Amino acid sequence: MTDDVSPANAPESAPSAQGSRALGILKLLTEFQIGPILALIAIIFCFALLDVALGNGGFATLRNLRVVTHQAALIGMPALGMTMIIIAGGIDLSAGTALTLSCTALAVAFRDYTVPVEQSGAVMGIVGALSLCLVIGVLCGLLNGIIISLTEMVPFIVTLGTMTIFLGLGQIWASESTVYPGPGHLPIWLENLCYTGKRGTDYFIPGLPIPGSVLLTIVLAIIVAALMRYTVLGRNIVAVGSNPQTARLCGINVPLTTVLVYAIAGIFVAFGALLYFGNVKNGNPSDGTGLELQIIAAVVLGGGSLSGGRGSVLGTLVGALIIKVIDNGCTMLSIPNTYTHIMIGVIIIVAVLIDGLRNGKPKWLFR
Amino acid sequence: MAGSEAAQSASTASQPLLEVCDISKRFGPTIALDQVNLAAHAGRVLALIGENGAGKSTLLKTLSGAHDADSGTMRLDGLEYQPRSPLDARRLGIGIVYQELTLAPDLSIEDNIMLGRSGTGGGLLLRGSQRDQVRQCLQRVGLGHLSPTARTGDQSVATQQLIEVARALASQAKIVLLDEPTSSLPAADVQRLFGIINDLRNDGIGVIYISHFLEEVREVADDYAVLRDGNSVGSGQLTDITDDQIISLMVGRDVDDLFPSVPHDIGQARLEIAGLSAKPMPIDTDLTLHHGEVLGIAGLVGAGRSELLRCLAGLIPAKSKVATLDGNRLPSSVGARRRLGIGMLSEDRKSEGLAQSLSITENLAMGNHRRYSSYGLVDLKSRRKDANGWIKKVEVKAHSAEQTIGELSGGNQQKVAFARLLAQDADIYLLDEPTKGIDVGTKAEIYRMIGELAAQGKSVIFVSSYLPELLAVCDTIGVMNRGQLVETRASADWNEESLLAAAVAVTNR
Ligand SMILES: Nc1ncnc2c1ncn2[C@@H]1O[C@H](COP(=O)(O)OP(=O)(O)OP(=O)(O)O)[C@@H](O)[C@H]1O
Ligand SMILES: [Mg+2]
């Protein structure tokens, strides 16, 4: 019986064994967020080529590298908090407007509650302004977390609500206009926080031309990555995101963990506001609308799963870079903004598809 | 089985209904099936037996088109059979009940049964004609009283299991595959299921039946096939083999004691509860648990046994007149009770007991991180070491501690859930169906571990629908009914009949 079956069977089994080997290699390649990194490299490569061929050669320059990484930091910073939220199985649509609300707070503080830096008491004012920004960011996060935990409503709905609440609050605070800080009120480090120019002395580490925003984001990213990996809180967040019922059975305080995650994410929203303020040097509460989508896209591009339990800090930073490289490259090539939108959308879908391939999805492809 | 005598001799001579030749299946480094052979006949029930992780579920999933075999061939009714998808397999006459529930909780019962096979007219559901069909199927599994439009997620696990069976029957199957269908069924429903299986046999339908209960196998099946580590190691007619022989085929060695007991003494009262009530169950229940006591809880499904345990663990908010642990008041939150040494094993490992997408290590450490950490920082190395220790201790079959839970066989998942509770090092163990889906050899190991816990002075509450294990393992057994613990006696004063009688008698009160 076995004998007359095997020959007929042999041609069937050979391709399937090959298929699984190919799948194995694919898996290996996409492990450890290599997927998004490869995507980033490919995109950079494409733009560099196109730029040499069609553009003015401004893309692959050190200066442009500083600009792009700085722009990615503007998204990457709040995306660090979003990564934690998404790993915990949540989402925060209010991140964009919470960010500009905090930014507006900073601008108002630098207009009304500080004095020019050379006067006495300037340091107190600056510390006060920064604290105000931080407190607003954390309060926004706390509010989200508490509403979600107490009402057990879906985070999507709750933060959709708070998104417009924060926008409205900011507009009231700013009297529906843009808030500019008082002349000479900004300390020199804040003036230079987002500097990407040629003067080496204006950088955080004089002589080392890395924008302050990038340095700050990298430092905080390392802290978040360590927090997620090495702390009990981090592991509890993963547990809550993968299966809240199991987490509860294991004695993890799920509502408290949720509130903590949103509050901590608020810290990064506040830091994001600081970078944003350093960039534009004013506060406009309506700047933040739509920003949340870029932040979420960065996390998802980096391997974050909207069903919770999965996400990576490194991936998120790469995700932010991908978005901004496309943005920047298109500008360099004078491609109209409209096309940039389409491209970013396509990249998001393709990148997440590539991520799915690692898990054998879509199923029909692996049959 | 009566009346099948004639069919039996006829079918053994004729060609098998379903024939599996040299089927192999790998998952990465794991060889789940290694050139397995199997033959199922029309009008006969084939019991598929094997340890946890032997490859039983994988084999059924290959038959149902859910997995592709890497190599090997199958024949159905003498024709080459190569299902491209579960839908394809169903069209060719395969009905299957998977080990874990696969119903969509938000759909109605009717929609679940008809899912993917609705009689459609231009894309519209023809509810009228399908409703009769659904009613018939439900009737057949004894759920005639249920409304087809009821939400599936609102039904008990046992009812959902029967709905799965009804779904498998709805497809006019030539052969029905049942993967541990009785693991969450109460005794009465098990009997009804056996009735259904007998009907199928008399209708000339083939049945493949997986179970870890040999007495069930003897009652319902005609033939057996044993898998060990993905290999077929024996098959034949059940009349030709003894239970001991089957077990040694499964395990690869002799298991002498199926219910090992560890001597232990019962000490002072530890947990004292009076007037415990929650919505909707339990109702005004009193309970005393002593040091070193194994307290069994028997009762019908829906009697409130799980609810009682969940109240004690703090998962359901409950009121009580007295609730003391070692003389101190019992706090109310899960976390606080856990810190005082109360640990619970959930009956539902898929949606509550384990985080399916996380690794074994992560699941074992969940809630136990305190012991690997100082100042909130986790020592990943000692965590990994511990995880490997537990995997060895409860013999989880996995290729590494980093494997995700969802990739383990059902019984191996259960072992991980049990190991996490042991890792918690609790004083009071609340076990809800701890041996659900676990093979004979490992069950014996779990009974021994429970005995050892008691010998260390720990206390165990053991909820089970499998009466022989309650009678063999527990010191005292209480019967629960309609949310009340009605009668508690030393196990020596109970037997299976009196336990059942006590459970049923109260229902009629
Ligand atoms: N999707 C999967 N990915 C990786 N490994 C898998 C997968 N499914 C099953 N396995 C492995 O294949 C082996 C056989 O599993 P299977 O579920 O068939 O066992 P089983 O005989 O049904 O056991 P049980 O009695 O515990 O249900 C196990 O070692 C399991 O870890
Ligand atoms: Mg199985």
Side-chain angles (χ1 to χ4, degrees):
Chain A
M1 166 119 295
T2 325
D3 284 348
D4 59 20
V5 165
S6 315
N9 169 48
E12 301 284 332
S13 66
S16 109
Q18 242 166 37
S20 77
R21 201 169 309 137
L23 182 59
I25 292 169
L26 193 70
K27 264 188 185 168
L28 199 71
L29 284 181
T30 50
E31 209 83 77
F32 311 116
Q33 268 63 52
I34 280 185
I37 292 178
L38 286 183
L40 178 62
I41 293 173
I43 290 166
I44 292 176
F45 193 70
C46 287
F47 274 116
L49 278 186
L50 283 175
D51 187 46
V52 169
L54 311 169
N56 53 12
F59 180 76
T61 61
L62 268 184
R63 182 188 153 82
N64 197 38
L65 178 68
R66 292 196 295 268
V67 172
V68 173
T69 49
H70 156 67
Q71 283 175 342
L74 293 180
I75 296 192
M77 182 64 89
L80 293 178
M82 189 68 82
T83 308
M84 293 176 70
I85 291 179
I86 285 180
I87 292 178
I91 188 96
D92 183 5
L93 296 180
S94 73
T97 54
L99 189 145
T100 38
L101 175 64
S102 310
C103 183
T104 306
L106 202 54
V108 168
F110 272 113
R111 184 187 64 189
D112 300 342
Y113 312 128
T114 52
V115 292
V117 277
E118 61 278 358
Q119 290 180 24
S120 64
V123 173
M124 282 296 293
I126 292 166
V127 170
L130 294 177
S131 312
L132 181 70
C133 174
L134 187 66
V135 167
I136 299 282
V138 172
L139 277 182
C140 290
L142 264 181
L143 185 73
N144 283 330
I146 289 174
I147 297 178
I148 290 166
S149 283
L150 283 187
T151 63
E152 294 180 13
M153 281 196 287
V154 195
F156 188 94
I157 306 290
V158 172
T159 56
L160 185 65
T162 53
M163 170 171 95
T164 56
I165 294 178
F166 297 154
L167 174 64
L169 284 177
Q171 284 172 333
I172 293 173
W173 205 352
S175 317
E176 288 178 58
S177 65
T178 305
V179 180
Y180 293 94
H185 285 215
L186 297 190
I188 186 77
W189 64 264
L190 186 49
E191 291 277 2
N192 289 339
L193 182 63
C194 299
Y195 181 70
T196 53
K198 277 207 280 288
R199 270 170 287 121
T201 46
D202 284 358
Y203 284 95
F204 261 32
I205 305 170
L208 184 69
I210 300 176
S213 52
V214 175
L215 284 178
L216 197 57
T217 306
I218 290 175
V219 170
L220 290 180
I222 291 172
I223 293 177
V224 176
L227 178 124
M228 291 308 292
R229 189 170 160 79
Y230 295 108
T231 69
V232 177
L233 177 66
R235 297 330 292 168
N236 286 355
I237 291 172
V238 176
V240 168
S242 327
N243 189 341
Q245 265 127 308
T246 316
R248 181 156 179 260
L249 181 77
C250 292
I252 295 170
N253 192 331
V254 177
L256 180 67
T257 311
T258 307
V259 171
L260 277 178
V261 167
Y262 279 90
I264 294 173
I267 297 176
F268 297 99
V269 164
F271 271 102
L274 179 69
L275 297 190
Y276 194 83
F277 180 77
N279 196 41
V280 297
K281 311 266 184 341
N282 64 44
N284 182 345
S286 23
D287 276 359
T289 38
L291 190 60
E292 69 280 349
L293 293 183
Q294 292 197 24
I295 298 172
I296 294 169
V299 178
V300 173
L301 273 174
S305 156
L306 290 184
S307 49
R310 228 155 53 82
S312 124
V313 173
L314 175 65
T316 296
L317 294 186
V318 173
L321 274 170
I322 291 178
I323 294 174
K324 284 306 171 188
V325 166
I326 295 175
D327 235 353
N328 173 277
C330 289
T331 316
M332 289 282 168
L333 294 172
S334 328
I335 297 173
N337 240 343
T338 38
Y339 291 95
T340 318
H341 293 320
I342 294 174
M343 235 157 127
I344 291 181
V346 171
I347 293 287
I348 289 176
I349 294 174
V350 169
V352 175
L353 180 75
I354 290 173
D355 185 51
L357 293 178
R358 178 171 66 183
N359 301 316
K361 282 179 198 166
K363 291 238 166 55
W364 55 264
L365 196 66
F366 289 92
R367 291 203 60 84
Chain B
M1 226 184 286
S4 64
E5 221 53 43
Q8 181 173 323
S9 49
S11 63
T12 353
S14 70
Q15 66 167 353
L17 174 62
L18 177 77
E19 201 177 2
V20 170
C21 294
D22 293 328
I23 286 281
S24 298
K25 174 76 187 168
R26 303 178 64 114
F27 295 105
T30 313
I31 301 177
L33 297 175
D34 189 7
Q35 307 209 325
V36 169
N37 293 296
L38 192 79
H41 296 267
R44 292 178 69 84
V45 179
L46 170 70
L48 188 56
I49 308 170
E51 286 190 291
N52 295 132
K56 306 180 295 295
S57 300
T58 308
L59 182 56
L60 287 209
K61 284 182 187 160
T62 312
L63 293 177
S64 78
H67 284 328
D68 269 342
D70 294 339
S71 64
T73 51
M74 298 186 276
R75 287 175 166 274
L76 184 63
D77 257 348
L79 298 174
E80 179 104 0
Y81 167 66
Q82 211 177 22
R84 273 165 301 148
S85 68
L87 187 66
D88 198 26
R90 191 165 66 202
R91 292 211 181 104
L92 291 169
I94 305 268
I96 182 164
V97 175
Y98 292 108
Q99 186 168 7
E100 313 287 344
L101 289 174
T102 56
L103 299 171
D106 290 318
L107 291 186
S108 68
I109 295 173
E110 170 180 55
D111 288 341
N112 262 305
I113 290 179
M114 300 310 288
L115 207 60
R117 77 176 117 239
S118 316
T120 55
L124 295 174
L125 291 174
L126 301 178
R127 293 226 181 241
S129 67
Q130 90 176 27
R131 177 95 19 114
D132 295 337
Q133 214 181 328
V134 169
R135 284 235 167 78
Q136 248 172 17
C137 294
L138 287 176
Q139 207 95 47
R140 231 167 139 186
V141 295
L143 294 177
H145 57 281
L146 283 184
S147 155
T149 52
R151 185 176 170 272
T152 309
D154 295 339
Q155 315 301 322
S156 72
V157 176
T159 306
Q160 293 193 32
Q161 186 72 50
L162 289 173
I163 296 173
E164 291 253 9
V165 176
R167 180 166 69 174
L169 298 182
S171 60
Q172 315 290 328
K174 285 185 213 161
I175 183 159
V176 175
L177 318 175
L178 302 166
D179 195 350
E180 301 193 34
T182 55
S183 65
S184 47
L185 285 187
D189 289 326
V190 170
Q191 284 313 317
R192 177 170 299 125
L193 181 70
F194 288 177
I196 298 168
I197 294 179
N198 268 323
D199 291 347
L200 292 174
R201 181 191 352 241
N202 293 336
D203 293 347
I205 291 171
V207 177
I208 301 183
Y209 178 90
I210 297 182
S211 173
H212 288 295
F213 297 102
L214 292 182
E215 54 273 37
E216 276 183 2
V217 165
R218 290 247 170 237
E219 193 176 338
V220 76
D222 309 295
D223 304 323
Y224 70 90
V226 182
L227 288 184
R228 181 165 77 228
D229 290 333
N231 296 292
S232 330
V233 290
S235 60
Q237 296 194 9
L238 274 166
T239 42
D240 303 338
I241 192 167
T242 66
D243 279 1
D244 287 343
Q245 284 171 321
I246 294 181
I247 292 172
S248 63
L249 267 182
M250 273 171 64
V251 187
R253 60 184 158 84
D254 289 331
V255 176
D256 14 81
D257 195 356
L258 289 183
F259 294 103
S261 67
V262 181
H264 56 269
D265 301 315
I266 297 181
Q268 287 178 329
R270 168 177 269 157
L271 184 67
E272 286 176 284
I273 307 281
L276 179 74
S277 297
K279 264 181 210 160
M281 287 186 224
I283 305 159
D284 198 20
T285 288
D286 303 341
L287 174 144
T288 309
L289 185 65
H290 300 84
H291 285 259
E293 179 181 12
V294 182
L295 168 65
I297 307 235
L300 303 179
V301 166
R305 297 173 302 170
S306 296
E307 286 82 353
L308 175 66
L309 288 197
R310 299 179 75 77
C311 282
L312 295 178
L315 288 162
I316 303 181
K319 282 207 262 310
S320 56
K321 297 200 189 79
V322 184
T324 58
L325 178 65
D326 288 323
N328 302 315
R329 219 180 61 81
L330 197 63
S332 60
S333 81
V334 189
R337 289 194 183 179
R338 210 165 176 282
R339 282 191 287 282
L340 288 179
I342 297 183
M344 168 158 166
L345 180 78
S346 169
E347 91 180 300
D348 184 355
R349 62 175 171 249
K350 189 178 175 194
S351 61
E352 182 181 47
L354 297 163
Q356 295 283 330
S357 58
L358 295 185
S359 67
I360 301 175
T361 310
E362 204 67 64
N363 269 283
L364 283 172
M366 204 183 286
N368 292 333
H369 269 118
R370 217 168 283 267
R371 64 185 68 243
Y372 311 114
S373 60
S374 46
Y375 305 108
L377 291 182
V378 182
D379 178 357
L380 294 182
K381 225 189 228 158
S382 80
R383 194 175 81 148
R384 194 173 326 124
K385 205 174 120 227
D386 257 32
N388 281 320
W390 284 114
I391 287 174
K392 232 183 237 126
K393 176 141 201 241
V394 298
E395 294 173 8
V396 178
K397 213 179 139 195
H399 62 73
S400 98
E402 297 311 313
Q403 198 171 2
T404 52
I405 289 289
E407 291 181 355
L408 299 184
S409 81
N412 282 299
Q413 295 183 11
Q414 186 71 11
K415 291 183 200 173
V416 174
F418 192 74
R420 180 180 57 218
L421 191 59
L422 294 176
Q424 185 191 332
D425 196 20
D427 295 319
I428 297 180
Y429 290 79
L430 308 172
L431 308 178
D432 200 352
E433 306 281 1
T435 59
K436 182 173 172 180
I438 282 189
D439 66 50
V440 194
T442 315
K443 258 184 207 162
E445 190 56 23
I446 285 189
Y447 300 145
R448 202 182 48 70
M449 284 193 257
I450 291 177
E452 277 172 4
L453 291 174
Q456 292 163 26
K458 313 210 160 189
S459 318
V460 179
I461 301 185
F462 188 168
V463 167
S464 172
S465 299
Y466 182 46
L467 299 179
E469 70 180 7
L470 281 186
L471 288 164
V473 174
C474 301
D475 303 307
T476 31
I477 300 178
V479 175
M480 243 191 128
N481 212 289
R482 286 199 180 171
Q484 283 178 311
L485 199 55
V486 284
E487 208 175 345
T488 310
R489 294 189 221 158
S491 347
D493 301 338
W494 287 109
N495 58 34
E496 286 194 34
E497 288 71 34
S498 60
L499 278 173
L500 270 177
V504 180
V506 188
T507 319
N508 297 336
R509 191 172 61 180

